[in-house]
Amino acid sequence: MSYDYDLFVIGAGSGGIAAARRAAEYGAKVGVAESGRLGGTCVNRGCVPKKLMVYASHFPAHFSAAQGYGWSEVQSQLNWETMIRAVNGEVTRLNGIYQQMLEKSEVDICANHASFVDAHTLQVGEAQLTAEKILIAVGGVPVKPQSIPGIEHAITSDDIFNLQEQPQHFVVLGGGYIGVEFACILRGLGSEVTVITRADKILRGFDQDLRSEIQEAMQKKGIRFLNNTQDIALEKRDSGLWITVKNGIAETVTETVMADAVSLAATGRSPNLVNLGLDQTRVAVKEGAIAVDAFSQTAEPNIYAVGDCTDRINLTPVAINEGRAFADTHFGNKSRQMSYENIPTAIFTSPEAATVGLTEAEACDQYGDQKLRSIAVDFDRCTTPCPITTRKP
Amino acid sequence: MYYTLPNHDEKTLMKLVVHTETDQVLGAHMVGDHAAEIIQGVAIAVKMGATKAQFDATVGIHPSSAEEFVTMR
């Protein structure tokens, strides 16, 4: 039986585009369906616009530092609208570059939603297309916990890049990396910022020393933290959005914070599997994510999935590597698996943080604390060594 | 060093987690300016299974923050 395509990819984000282009370069006939803008989360509402806003947020500190080097005082005000327009302009430019790259690789682009009719057939807009292999790369979406009263008044990271005005008091719900990054961006741009977390500290899962160091540094920059909270509730009043939380340790203590109608629910992301028609196939879904093996193969042998929709390690370079490993294996005659060990990652807070390999706690679990030593230098201002602590547990 | 003249209160943390028997560097963590740019290079060494002795045998780039990763004891 012959198919319209050797490979059809659902979703033109980081993983989908990488797989489509690599497969096409090997000579496969490839199509990709994307109902939104090309580039997916990373380019349109993630890494790229986020980092541009991080750069924007650093200027006040540079202006202030300049005086230490003999420059006169810098008087400068942020025009929020100009910043947002510039950031979105760059995103549009990148959308165009992705389009050119796909066209150059001779990948057919279908600007439509795709859903399964059967394991080899997709409904893409008005058309039905068939493909020998199908790659699902639909990504993830931010989720707002519906258990929080008034959560409908909160925005998510998707919305932040289109705010018409700078929030004057910004409240972040959640201490994950997305939440703390936006907390630092808004603080750097001059907003009052409060971060509310259920845990005792931000950035659960990262190394303890790194978590403490970042939270303390953020506090020093004037970000307020409400840790160990429970029973969060949001209420919209004429004066703004009121957020009430209970202290999870001293349960009688409640705190109320006011935000000017903006609050970011940075409370997690989940795979975007709505209206995908997976029930027309044997593709298995486990805990809301597409279940795949080490070769990104689903329970339906000709269907594969990469990136955030599989909820393995949700990072752009991981999705790209999974997509390319898939293409190399099936179209390039180079069978390989993505390696998940020692994946480095960064947190673009101010100060910035980055990490690779095991945290001290993970290493203790794996090897026992008798077989480990952790060496740390913690210094301020000077780069030549003036270590404050050197620890050998 | 950047913060010395402006007298800004900015700290930098660099941390290595090392296996005492194999001397392998199991993890590298950093908080401070350019952490992402610095850890990307360190990640190659960690991915290759480098030992602390091999880190120490590497000459630092001076003056930089990154050199701490090859001079810390």
Side-chain angles (χ1 to χ4, degrees):
Chain A
M1 173 167 181
S2 74
Y3 299 101
D4 298 329
Y5 290 96
D6 298 321
L7 170 66
F8 199 89
V9 180
I10 309 176
S14 304
I17 288 176
R21 292 186 61 212
R22 175 83 38 119
E25 281 161 21
Y26 288 128
K29 182 165 169 47
V30 183
V32 61
E34 174 57 62
S35 57
R37 299 203 285 181
L38 296 178
T41 302
C42 172
V43 170
N44 294 297
R45 50 195 174 273
C47 331
V48 170
K50 179 269 303 281
K51 188 145 185 202
L52 293 171
M53 284 174 78
V54 169
Y55 283 132
S57 74
H58 284 170
F59 285 97
H62 292 317
F63 295 154
S64 157
Q67 292 174 66
Y69 289 89
W71 290 90
S72 63
E73 192 178 340
V74 181
Q75 294 287 352
S76 187
Q77 301 299 318
L78 175 76
N79 184 320
W80 174 271
E81 211 188 317
T82 306
M83 177 194 69
I84 292 289
R85 204 182 313 124
V87 168
N88 286 321
E90 173 61 9
V91 169
T92 304
R93 189 183 75 87
L94 292 173
N95 295 147
I97 286 176
Y98 275 107
Q99 172 134 7
Q100 285 166 15
M101 287 194 312
L102 286 168
E103 284 169 359
K104 203 173 149 204
S105 304
E106 297 184 352
V107 173
D108 288 349
I109 306 169
C110 307
N112 266 310
H113 179 80
S115 61
F116 284 96
V117 176
D118 62 46
H120 286 281
T121 312
L122 292 166
Q123 186 74 39
V124 183
E126 299 295 306
Q128 283 206 351
L129 304 170
T130 59
E132 185 184 356
K133 291 191 171 73
I134 295 173
L135 180 71
I136 307 170
V138 291
V141 285
V143 286
K144 294 199 262 186
Q146 295 307 313
S147 57
I148 297 178
I151 195 69
E152 66 275 12
H153 302 304
I155 63 165
T156 70
S157 59
D158 281 1
D159 310 311
I160 192 135
F161 305 109
N162 296 307
L163 287 179
Q164 296 302 307
E165 283 173 31
Q166 178 176 1
Q168 293 308 305
H169 196 147
F170 187 65
V171 173
V172 176
L173 303 181
Y177 82 96
I178 298 171
V180 295
E181 285 179 341
F182 279 110
C184 290
I185 289 169
L186 269 295
R187 183 67 194 137
L189 296 174
S191 303
E192 293 295 319
V193 176
T194 306
V195 176
I196 298 173
T197 71
R198 275 192 300 191
D200 64 330
K201 240 185 312 197
I202 57 171
L203 294 169
R204 198 168 49 191
F206 287 92
D207 189 84
Q208 288 292 347
D209 288 340
L210 182 137
R211 296 173 68 191
S212 303
E213 185 94 359
I214 298 172
Q215 180 158 330
E216 283 163 23
M218 287 171 67
Q219 263 161 338
K220 265 193 226 159
K221 290 177 198 293
I223 294 173
R224 186 178 171 219
F225 284 89
L226 295 174
N227 300 124
N228 297 307
T229 63
Q230 58 184 42
D231 299 343
I232 301 168
L234 280 65
E235 190 191 337
K236 193 165 190 156
R237 299 187 193 171
D238 291 342
S239 52
L241 198 57
W242 291 68
I243 298 108
T244 315
V245 295
K246 203 192 274 181
N247 185 309
I249 295 169
E251 286 196 13
T252 50
V253 183
T254 55
E255 294 241 26
T256 304
V257 193
M258 203 194 79
D260 53 346
V262 175
S263 150
L264 176 73
T267 43
R269 297 177 64 84
S270 73
N272 179 23
L273 308 182
V274 186
N275 299 327
L276 197 54
L278 287 180
D279 50 347
Q280 305 301 313
T281 70
R282 286 180 289 174
V283 172
V285 175
K286 202 176 163 193
E287 287 168 20
I290 296 175
V292 287
D293 69 9
F295 285 98
S296 298
Q297 190 176 32
T298 69
E300 183 77 72
N302 73 304
I303 301 177
Y304 296 77
V306 296
D308 290 7
C309 68
T310 62
D311 204 16
R312 286 176 278 184
I313 294 180
N314 299 334
L315 296 169
T316 282
V318 171
I320 291 172
N321 205 318
E322 287 169 349
R324 289 186 180 153
F326 161 78
D328 289 344
T329 301
H330 295 282
F331 301 98
N333 204 21
K334 280 179 269 189
S335 180
R336 72 175 178 101
Q337 295 177 12
M338 155 91 199
S339 161
Y340 292 91
E341 267 186 11
N342 295 316
I343 292 172
T345 185
I347 309 153
F348 289 102
T349 39
S350 302
E352 188 171 303
T355 175
V356 61
L358 302 181
T359 66
E360 192 174 333
E362 285 168 345
C364 277
D365 286 347
Q366 215 163 313
Y367 299 100
D369 55 2
Q370 296 306 307
K371 295 198 170 153
L372 288 179
R373 63 190 180 117
S374 100
I375 312 149
V377 284
D378 198 344
F379 53 92
D380 55 7
R381 292 184 209 154
C382 47
T383 46
T384 40
C386 54
I388 295 166
T389 57
T390 299
R391 296 189 299 112
K392 289 179 190 181
Chain B
M1 186 182 256
Y2 174 70
Y3 298 106
T4 319
L5 301 190
N7 205 17
H8 280 193
D9 186 14
E10 289 281 349
K11 289 207 304 177
T12 298
L13 169 76
M14 288 157 142
K15 175 172 174 176
L16 292 175
V17 180
V18 181
H19 195 288
T20 46
E21 285 172 5
T22 63
D23 197 39
Q24 192 180 336
V25 177
L26 302 171
H29 312 277
M30 173 172 176
V31 180
D33 287 352
H34 316 298
E37 311 290 348
I38 291 165
I39 289 290
Q40 181 70 78
V42 175
I44 301 171
V46 173
K47 183 82 181 165
M48 291 173 73
T51 61
K52 180 67 169 59
Q54 288 168 325
F55 270 62
D56 294 345
T58 306
V59 174
I61 295 174
H62 187 76
S64 70
S65 301
E67 67 178 319
E68 288 295 322
F69 273 118
V70 297
T71 55
M72 63 170 77
R73 295 182 156 275

